[in-house]
């Protein structure tokens, strides 16, 4: 918000990455005089995480959630043109991406989800709280989780409540395992498929998740890192994405698009962010008038 205000007040000439989906949407719907918005492929993703030791959200429950949630509706109704459905931890803008969740579950289906729960002997509706942070990823997060709640509860298979917490409280409680299910976002430290898989699946992972896949940790992640040619690691990453879609330790929801907002008089903006989301400041210039 401070950066957007500085751009409006002509204190800065350009902003990117820190721009929230709400800011980008507002600029798209109501363009501001003297400010241009440039769209580029995005690297940010949003997903649900789970305390996989909590029996309330066991593997079958997580699979049923994956079968019900309509990512297209979430992305379209909540974020508009600033987000698109995500069917893997690895977004479509990164090499090695596959639509693993869509390949396994297809279109949202209450009937298929009911079969998953029935075959596992799980009594419905499954009751739990879906937690989210209300001050870290933008104001649209609350709307997103209300939409998720509505989708799950309208199936009749779930009785989900939602609860928002400030990030300063939310993150320690999430890492401690206090939440059965919770929402998180991710922007990679570097634009490689490893940075969308290892932080979630490896030992000492970012989420402090109790989930463990021996194949992922001992075989696939080390194997993928030995491939200097990242395209050659595609088969390994396909297997990793299939494991995530089957076990659902995390549930991808949407991936964001990336925007650069710049004031009139700045040239080269469309080349200022590379396909790997790195700033190329040398492309920017201010043509003489």
């Amino acid at each position: 918000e401070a950066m957007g205000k500085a751009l409006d007040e002509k204190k800065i000439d350009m902003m990117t990455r820190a721009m929230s989906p709400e800011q980008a949407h507002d600029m798209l719907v109501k363009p501001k005089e003297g400010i241009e918005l440039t769209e580029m492929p995005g690297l940010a993703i949003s997903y649900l995480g789970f305390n996989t030791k909590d029996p309330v959200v066991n593997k079958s429950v997580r699979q049923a959630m994956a079968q019900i949630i309509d990512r297209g509706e979430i992305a379209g109704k909540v974020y508009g043109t600033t987000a698109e459905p995500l069917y893997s931890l690895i977004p479509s803008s990164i090499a090695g991406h596959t639509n693993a969740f869509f390949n396994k579950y297809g279109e949202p289906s209450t009937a298929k989800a009911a079969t998953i729960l029935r075959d596992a002997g799980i009594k419905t509706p499954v009751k739990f709280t879906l937690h989210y942070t209300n001050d870290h990823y933008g104001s649209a997060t609350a709307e997103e989780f209300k939409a998720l709640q509505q989708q799950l509860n309208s199936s009749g298979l779930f009785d989900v409540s939602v609860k928002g917490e400030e990030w300063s409280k939310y993150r320690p409680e999430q890492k401690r395992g206090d939440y059965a299910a919770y929402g998180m976002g991710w922007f990679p430290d570097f634009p490689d498929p490893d940075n969308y898989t290892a932080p979630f699946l490896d030992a000492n992972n970012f989420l402090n998740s109790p989930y463990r896949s021996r194949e992922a940790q001992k075989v696939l992640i080390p194997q993928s890192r030995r491939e200097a040619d990242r395209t050659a690691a595609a088969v390994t990453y396909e297997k990793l994405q299939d494991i995530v879609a089957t076990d659902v330790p995390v549930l991808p929801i949407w991936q964001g698009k990336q925007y650069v907002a710049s004031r009139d008089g700045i040239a080269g903006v469309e080349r200022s962010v590379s396909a790997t989301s790195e700033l190329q400041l040398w492309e920017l210039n201010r043509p003489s008038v």
Side-chain angles (χ1 to χ4, degrees):
E1 291 180 3
M3 194 175 286
K5 186 172 184 289
L7 185 70
D8 292 339
E9 296 175 352
K10 301 182 181 181
K11 294 179 179 178
I12 61 174
D13 295 306
M14 171 180 159
M15 67 178 288
T16 185
R17 180 163 174 174
M19 191 183 309
S20 70
E22 296 88 351
Q23 287 175 314
H25 180 263
D26 288 346
M27 290 185 190
L28 286 168
V29 175
K30 298 178 181 178
K32 297 183 178 182
E33 184 177 354
I35 297 177
E36 182 178 356
L37 193 66
T38 304
E39 180 182 309
M40 301 175 183
L43 297 177
I45 67 170
S46 180
Y47 59 94
L48 300 182
F50 301 95
N51 178 355
T52 53
K53 281 188 175 179
D54 192 320
V56 174
V57 288
N58 65 26
K59 180 177 175 179
S60 296
V61 170
R62 302 193 303 268
Q63 289 178 333
M65 291 175 67
Q67 185 64 75
I68 286 176
I69 290 174
D70 187 337
R71 297 164 176 80
E73 182 180 78
I74 299 294
K77 288 189 176 181
V78 178
Y79 295 100
T81 59
T82 65
E84 55 189 358
L86 179 63
Y87 296 96
S88 168
L89 272 177
I90 302 174
S92 59
S93 49
I94 296 293
H97 162 82
T98 67
N99 287 316
F101 275 81
F102 189 85
N103 295 340
K104 183 171 181 62
Y105 300 99
E107 296 292 345
S109 170
T110 296
K112 290 181 180 179
T115 299
I116 292 171
L117 295 174
R118 185 174 60 251
D119 289 349
I122 295 171
K123 184 179 178 181
T124 58
V126 180
K127 187 175 182 178
F128 62 89
T129 299
L130 188 54
H131 294 263
Y132 68 94
T133 173
N134 53 24
D135 66 345
H136 194 68
Y137 298 119
S139 58
T141 307
E143 185 181 351
E144 175 186 346
F145 278 77
K146 286 180 182 177
L148 286 167
Q149 178 189 33
Q150 193 278 329
Q151 287 183 3
L152 292 167
N153 290 351
S154 64
S155 71
L157 302 174
F158 291 91
D159 179 9
V160 173
S161 58
V162 294
K163 185 177 181 181
E165 297 282 3
E166 292 183 358
W167 180 254
S168 59
K169 179 181 179 183
Y170 181 85
R171 177 62 168 148
E173 291 181 342
Q174 175 270 307
K175 289 181 70 176
R176 199 164 57 230
D178 293 355
Y179 305 152
Y182 53 88
M184 292 288 282
W186 181 255
F187 196 97
D189 298 305
F190 51 92
D192 186 272
D194 180 81
N195 207 230
Y196 288 96
T197 48
F200 304 98
L201 303 176
D202 215 347
N204 304 314
N205 59 76
F206 167 72
L207 296 174
N208 197 31
S209 170
Y211 171 77
R212 295 291 181 269
S213 165
R214 190 180 189 285
E215 183 180 8
Q217 290 185 2
K218 301 298 184 181
V219 180
L220 297 177
I221 290 175
Q223 181 176 313
S224 70
R225 288 172 169 171
R226 287 194 291 269
E227 296 287 357
D229 179 359
R230 303 313 282 150
T231 58
V235 173
T236 303
Y237 282 114
E238 181 178 354
K239 293 177 181 177
L240 281 167
Q241 290 167 93
D242 287 344
I243 287 174
V244 174
T246 298
D247 292 348
V248 200
V250 292
L251 178 52
I253 304 294
W254 56 265
Q255 72 176 83
K257 296 179 182 177
Q258 186 167 226
Y259 293 89
V260 178
S262 57
R263 298 207 63 85
D264 289 347
I266 304 298
V269 174
E270 68 280 2
R271 301 185 300 277
S272 65
V273 181
S274 72
T276 58
S277 199
E278 294 174 315
L279 276 173
Q280 302 179 144
L281 297 178
W282 56 88
E283 295 287 358
L284 297 171
N285 66 89
R286 195 191 302 271
S288 58
V289 179

